[in-house]
Amino acid sequence: QKSTEKKEAVKHLSSCVHFGCNQRFPKGGPYPECKYHSGPPVFHETAKFWSCCPNKKAYDWEQFQSLPACQSGTCTDVKDEDGGSQKEFLGGCDIREKTAGPTLRSIDDFNTSAAAGGSEGAPVLERLRSVLGELDVENELFDQVLEGIKKNVIEKTGSGDDDANVVDEVVQVLGGKLKNAMKAIAVEQQRIN
């Protein structure tokens, strides 16, 4: 009897959609005062905290529930327009994505880049040469194509042979040519099928 009455009463109540506010109120109001968090909760390893208050952490559920709210306002049962795309909670991957710095390079890539005057493209070309070698494209052929592109880039830009920008431009040109070759193969396959 009591559980049925309780279920009936809950049917006519709405929950506040603000993070951390657990209040329930009659649908359509009146809307009570609200203490809440502006960001979703984060559950990372054993730590629990609100993304808007990263310096206030708890390690058990009761402590987490008792963390003080950082916002105040009025309860609502209507989500913000951008609230639909916001996650209900965050985890370790979300934290790493937000704090991700530049992509780490291997020591080999760093050394190759340094040897090429700081070019970011030098390690890419070295890996491409290796992969194409595994596909039975002779290294001599790769080097010949690369030198031809490099010569054209130097003539076009007026840069020196040891300029890091030349290597980076060679990577762009070669990438474009490989992309066009792949497209041509795809078109040819479409005609055959």
Side-chain angles (χ1 to χ4, degrees), residues 148-160:
I149 294 172
K150 187 175 181 182
K151 181 180 172 188
N152 290 341
V153 167
I154 290 171
E155 287 175 4
K156 186 176 93 178
T157 63
S159 300

Side-chain angles (χ1 to χ4, degrees), residues 88-124:
E88 292 293 317
F89 62 90
L90 304 175
C93 293
D94 300 302
I95 295 169
R96 284 188 290 279
E97 285 173 9
K98 281 185 178 179
T99 60
T103 305
L104 296 177
R105 298 187 299 165
S106 71
I107 291 173
D108 290 338
D109 284 354
F110 178 82
N111 290 338
T112 302
S113 176
S119 166
E120 296 292 322
V124 173

Side-chain angles (χ1 to χ4, degrees), residues 16-52:
C16 181
V17 296
H18 289 142
F19 292 114
C21 179
N22 297 317
Q23 295 190 69
R24 298 180 72 78
F25 49 88
K27 290 183 180 178
Y31 300 103
E33 290 298 310
C34 180
K35 300 256 188 237
Y36 62 97
H37 290 276
S38 60
V42 178
F43 305 109
H44 179 57
E45 295 179 353
T46 59
K48 299 159 189 61
F49 57 96
W50 295 94
S51 58
C52 52

Side-chain angles (χ1 to χ4, degrees), residues 4-21:
T4 307
E5 288 174 11
K6 201 174 194 179
K7 285 181 184 177
E8 271 306 307
V10 170
K11 279 185 185 177
H12 303 291
L13 296 177
S14 289
S15 296
C16 181
V17 296
H18 289 142
F19 292 114
C21 179

Side-chain angles (χ1 to χ4, degrees), residues 55-189:
N55 296 327
K56 298 176 184 173
K57 293 185 180 177
Y59 293 91
D60 67 50
W61 188 252
E62 287 75 27
Q63 280 181 325
F64 173 68
Q65 292 287 80
S66 66
L67 290 174
C70 62
Q71 303 285 318
S72 62
T74 306
C75 285
T76 182
D77 55 356
V78 179
K79 289 191 176 197
D80 292 337
E81 287 180 21
D82 66 338
S85 63
Q86 188 172 19
K87 292 185 175 183
E88 292 293 317
F89 62 90
L90 304 175
C93 293
D94 300 302
I95 295 169
R96 284 188 290 279
E97 285 173 9
K98 281 185 178 179
T99 60
T103 305
L104 296 177
R105 298 187 299 165
S106 71
I107 291 173
D108 290 338
D109 284 354
F110 178 82
N111 290 338
T112 302
S113 176
S119 166
E120 296 292 322
V124 173
L125 291 174
E126 189 171 290
R127 287 192 305 269
L128 180 61
R129 185 177 196 265
S130 174
V131 168
L132 289 175
E134 291 176 25
L135 296 173
D136 289 331
V137 174
E138 296 85 11
N139 287 339
E140 294 78 20
L141 177 60
F142 178 83
D143 294 341
Q144 180 183 354
V145 168
L146 206 61
E147 283 303 313
I149 294 172
K150 187 175 181 182
K151 181 180 172 188
N152 290 341
V153 167
I154 290 171
E155 287 175 4
K156 186 176 93 178
T157 63
S159 300
D161 188 37
D162 58 348
D163 189 350
N165 293 330
V166 169
V167 176
D168 292 337
E169 180 67 22
V170 167
V171 169
Q172 293 299 315
V173 171
L174 182 59
K177 289 182 180 292
L178 288 173
K179 184 176 182 179
N180 289 338
M182 296 298 279
K183 285 180 180 179
I185 293 169
V187 167
E188 183 180 316
Q189 289 172 339

